[in-house]
């Protein structure tokens, strides 16, 4: 059951990009998506965590750390990710973002948390070549520098978020994920107060996609990941998370007719294959710190 929970979590996170694209098509702005997503998800997680007594006994330092990680790290990561989706195909965003476990590995080696090995070093080179193929394959008129930069920037920020979370996350995972979501909502709430509340008068179908993003691709995916993580451990959970970008690419193809060129498909295969090999037991797990996903993934809440 643990593996099934992790796979369902990956599916939930994987379809988020498609839900976002559909929301944009129905008139939802980037600002409205971020505000509503974290507002709904933060509220639901807060109610669940409170009902289970997970927020009791949290120290002030843990509360502040969780809220700050959400307000700064996760808000920036999510903002870049969804901004990328306004400019480039969901499949391209997913494949570029999927390089983050390797970035985590590189930073873990540079900060001397892990040892450098031949397999890891080779994996980084191959994966970077794969990303170059994915981006280069979009040059047939659909390449967007700003969108691609946002996707890669999201992976970089998420890497930093994970590494910081690994240092400060001592609280219960569900409680920490709740704090991160609430912190992110606080950031977008302040943004709305300063720049004006985004237009929420879009069609009911737009609200449906936002509800699915919050319920399925945030709250549901996070809770399923936690449930699976407790049963199979971080290494297996990280390996199963490789399904996420595959789900995004497949669902984008079904819903939008997005297709990858041969060059992009090869690049994506190199990235995903390298992540799988590097995360295999004996390599770097590239675990997620959930909300993201606060862990890999305790996941960024991707």
């Amino acid at each position: 059951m643990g593996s099934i929970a992790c796979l369902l979590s990956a599916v939930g996170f994987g379809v988020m990009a498609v839900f976002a694209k559909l929301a944009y098509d129905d008139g939802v702005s980037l600002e409205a998506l971020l505000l509503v997503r974290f507002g709904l998800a933060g509220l639901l997680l807060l109610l669940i965590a409170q009902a289970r007594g997970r927020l009791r006994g949290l120290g002030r330092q843990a509360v502040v750390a969780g809220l700050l990680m959400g307000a700064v790290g996760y808000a920036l990561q999510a903002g870049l990710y969804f901004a990328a989706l306004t400019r480039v195909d969901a499949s391209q965003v997913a494949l570029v973002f999927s390089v983050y476990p390797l970035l985590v590995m590189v930073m873990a080696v540079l900060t001397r948390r892990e040892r450098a090995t031949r397999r890891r070093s080779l994996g980084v080179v191959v994966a970077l070549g794969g990303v170059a193929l994915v981006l280069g394959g979009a040059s047939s008129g659909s390449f967007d520098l700003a969108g691609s930069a946002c996707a890669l920037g999201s992976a970089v920020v998420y890497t930093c978020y994970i590494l910081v979370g690994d240092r400060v996350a001592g609280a219960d995972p569900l409680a920490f994920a709740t704090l991160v979501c609430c912190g992110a909502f606080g950031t977008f709430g302040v943004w709305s107060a300063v720049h004006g509340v985004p237009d929420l008068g879009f069609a009911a179908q737009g609200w449906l996609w936002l509800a699915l993003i919050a319920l399925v691709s945030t709250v549901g995916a996070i809770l399923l990941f936690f449930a699976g993580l407790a049963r199979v451990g971080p290494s297996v959970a990280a390996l199963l998370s490789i399904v996420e970008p595959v789900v995004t690419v497949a669902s984008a193809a079904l819903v939008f007719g997005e297709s990858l060129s041969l060059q992009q498909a090869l690049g994506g295969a190199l990235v995903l294959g390298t992540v799988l090999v590097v995360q295999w037991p004996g390599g770097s797990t590239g675990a997620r710190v959930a909300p993201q996903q606060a862990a890999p993934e305790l996941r960024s809440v991707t």
Side-chain angles (χ1 to χ4, degrees), residues 21 24 82-89 142-148 150:
K21 283 283 195 180
Y24 294 151
F82 285 106
L85 288 170
T86 66
R87 308 183 69 98
V88 297
D89 289 347
S142 62
F143 179 77
D144 184 279
L145 179 60
S148 299
C150 283

Side-chain angles (χ1 to χ4, degrees), residues 85-86 90 115 118 133 142 195-196 199 258 281 290 299:
L85 288 170
T86 66
R115 288 186 307 105
R118 185 175 302 175
L133 288 175
S142 62
H195 298 276
D199 180 16
E258 291 184 10
R299 188 189 164 119

Side-chain angles (χ1 to χ4, degrees), residues 215-294:
L215 298 176
V216 175
S217 298
T218 305
V219 176
I222 290 169
L223 294 179
L224 282 168
F225 186 84
F226 288 156
L229 182 66
R231 290 171 173 78
V232 302
S235 295
V236 174
L239 284 171
L240 294 173
S241 70
I242 200 70
V243 171
E244 181 184 331
V246 177
V247 169
T248 301
V249 172
S251 57
L254 288 173
V255 176
F256 303 116
E258 291 184 10
S259 59
L260 298 173
S261 67
L262 179 60
Q263 180 177 331
Q264 287 180 301
L266 176 59
L270 287 175
V271 172
L272 298 180
T274 302
V275 171
L276 182 63
V277 170
V278 170
Q279 292 192 28
W280 199 265
S284 174
T285 63
R288 293 171 165 178
V289 168
Q292 191 201 318
Q293 1 348 284

Side-chain angles (χ1 to χ4, degrees), residues 18-44:
V18 173
F19 291 154
K21 283 283 195 180
L22 291 169
Y24 294 151
D25 289 344
D26 284 321
V28 178
S29 68
L30 171 62
E31 294 79 10
L33 185 153
L34 292 167
L35 183 68
V36 174
R37 179 204 179 188
F38 287 111
L40 289 177
L43 177 60
L44 286 173

